[in-house]
């Protein structure tokens, strides 16, 4: 039969159909969740700063009432929480990496995670129409993915990593 994706009558876009929105790409068993788990394992082995250290650091922070509280993300000895909790974690994780992790410890992984935090901050602004353009988003996602690959080779690559590369194009179409 005819392929509906090739039909000039139906405006179907395969990437738009199979790719998730940015929050699912990154925060629902996605790019950020996988990288944070691998990062914390690496930091535990090389700097003694894994899940317990991050849990202690999170305890010193207070979130506004209108935000999800990320304090309980590491409470069970591993990182686990809602998409909102992960999103609330990202700026604090960035501070943890900059202020707590000694310079020179796991530098490639830390650089990738900081780029991840910056990319998620940019993605979170996509909720406001016109606040972010695909031209701004595409290099941020690409930079993070390059740093992630340099840090972990293919250790963090999941299908949603590929989907994330299509987010800028989807943003420009919305």
């Amino acid at each position: 039969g005819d392929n509906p994706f090739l039909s000039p009558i139906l405006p179907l876009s395969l990437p738009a159909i199979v790719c998730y929105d940015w929050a699912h790409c990154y925060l629902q068993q996605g790019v950020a969740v996988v990288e944070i788990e691998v990062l914390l394992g690496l930091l535990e082995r090389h700097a003694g700063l894994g899940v317990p250290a991050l849990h202690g650091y999170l305890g010193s922070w207070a979130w506004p009432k209108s935000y999800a509280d990320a304090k309980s993300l590491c409470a069970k000895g591993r990182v686990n929480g809602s998409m909102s909790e992960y999103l609330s974690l990202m700026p604090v994780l960035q501070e943890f990496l900059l202020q707590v992790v000694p310079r020179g410890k796991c530098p490639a992984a830390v650089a990738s995670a900081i780029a991840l935090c910056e990319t998620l901050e940019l993605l979170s602004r996509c909720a406001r129409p016109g606040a972010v353009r695909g031209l701004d988003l595409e290099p941020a996602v690409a930079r993070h993915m390059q740093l992630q690959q340099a840090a972990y080779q293919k250790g963090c690559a999941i299908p949603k990593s590929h989907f994330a590369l299509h987010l800028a194009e989807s943003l420009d179409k919305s």
Side-chain angles (χ1 to χ4, degrees):
D2 291 329
N3 184 337
F5 293 103
L6 300 177
S7 169
I9 299 169
L10 298 173
L12 298 177
S13 165
L14 186 58
I17 291 170
V18 299
C19 294
Y20 295 95
D21 61 274
W22 71 264
H24 282 90
C25 282
Y26 279 88
L27 303 170
Q28 185 68 42
Q29 274 75 48
V31 174
V33 174
V34 170
E35 183 167 344
I36 291 167
E37 289 174 2
V38 175
L39 168 72
L40 290 173
L42 198 63
L43 288 174
E44 181 65 44
R45 286 190 303 280
H46 295 282
L49 293 170
V51 172
L54 180 59
H55 180 65
Y57 188 72
L58 292 173
S60 68
W61 286 78
W63 279 261
K65 290 188 186 293
S66 61
Y67 284 77
D69 187 326
K71 287 182 183 183
S72 63
L73 266 174
C74 302
K76 296 177 182 173
R78 62 185 176 88
V79 184
N80 186 30
S82 69
M83 291 192 320
S84 295
E85 289 168 330
Y86 274 105
L87 194 56
S88 291
L89 167 70
M90 300 315 289
V92 178
L93 176 63
Q94 186 169 355
E95 284 299 306
F96 176 79
L97 296 169
L98 293 170
Q99 303 299 325
V100 177
V101 175
R103 292 203 191 285
K105 291 289 184 182
C106 308
V110 169
S112 176
I114 289 171
L116 170 65
C117 294
E118 292 168 349
T119 300
L120 276 167
E121 193 281 323
L122 189 61
L123 284 164
S124 70
R125 289 193 271 145
C126 290
R128 293 187 312 275
V132 178
R133 301 173 306 149
L135 287 172
D136 303 319
L137 183 58
E138 187 172 15
V141 171
R143 179 176 175 271
H144 168 247
M145 292 298 175
Q146 289 167 347
L147 289 169
Q148 185 188 71
Q149 186 173 10
Y152 306 107
Q153 288 72 45
K154 298 201 184 293
C156 289
I158 58 174
K160 289 180 181 181
S161 301
H162 176 79
F163 297 165
L165 295 173
H166 293 282
L167 291 172
E169 178 186 345
S170 296
L171 178 63
D172 284 340
K173 289 181 179 179
S174 64

